[in-house]
Amino acid sequence: AGDDDDTINDFTAGASTDDVLDYSSQSSLTYSDLSIAQVGGDTVITNTVTGDTVTLIGITSSNLDQTDDFLFA
């Protein structure tokens, strides 16, 4: 657990954008399993089940849209 740490430099957050964080391969994972933190000018999303992280460079966490920016099974 916790061995997959990714950084995305060109993510566009918000409703009606094309970018999506795809968690659909983890069938039981839900939005509530994610910890989302603002770290300086970036957003760090931690999968609390696996410990894996995704850092979105230059993204403010409050701009993320729960239904449009995330895909779950």
Side-chain angles (χ1 to χ4, degrees), residues 11-21 56 59-70:
F11 192 86
T12 302
S16 302
T17 61
D18 292 333
D19 291 338
V20 172
L21 296 169
L56 304 175
I59 297 296
T60 302
S61 60
S62 61
N63 289 339
L64 291 170
D65 184 88
Q66 180 177 346
T67 57
D68 192 65
D69 289 330
F70 299 90

Side-chain angles (χ1 to χ4, degrees), residues 1 12 16 19-21 24-25 27 29-31 35-36 40 43 47 56 58 64 70:
T12 302
S16 302
D19 291 338
V20 172
L21 296 169
S24 63
S25 66
S27 61
L29 193 76
T30 66
Y31 185 80
S35 170
I36 301 174
T43 295
N47 177 331
L56 304 175
L64 291 170
F70 299 90

Side-chain angles (χ1 to χ4, degrees), residues 2-8 23 35 43-48 50-56:
D3 59 1
D4 194 16
D5 301 317
D6 298 311
T7 300
I8 301 173
Y23 291 97
S35 170
T43 295
V44 178
I45 301 167
T46 303
N47 177 331
T48 62
T50 65
D52 297 339
T53 65
V54 175
T55 300
L56 304 175

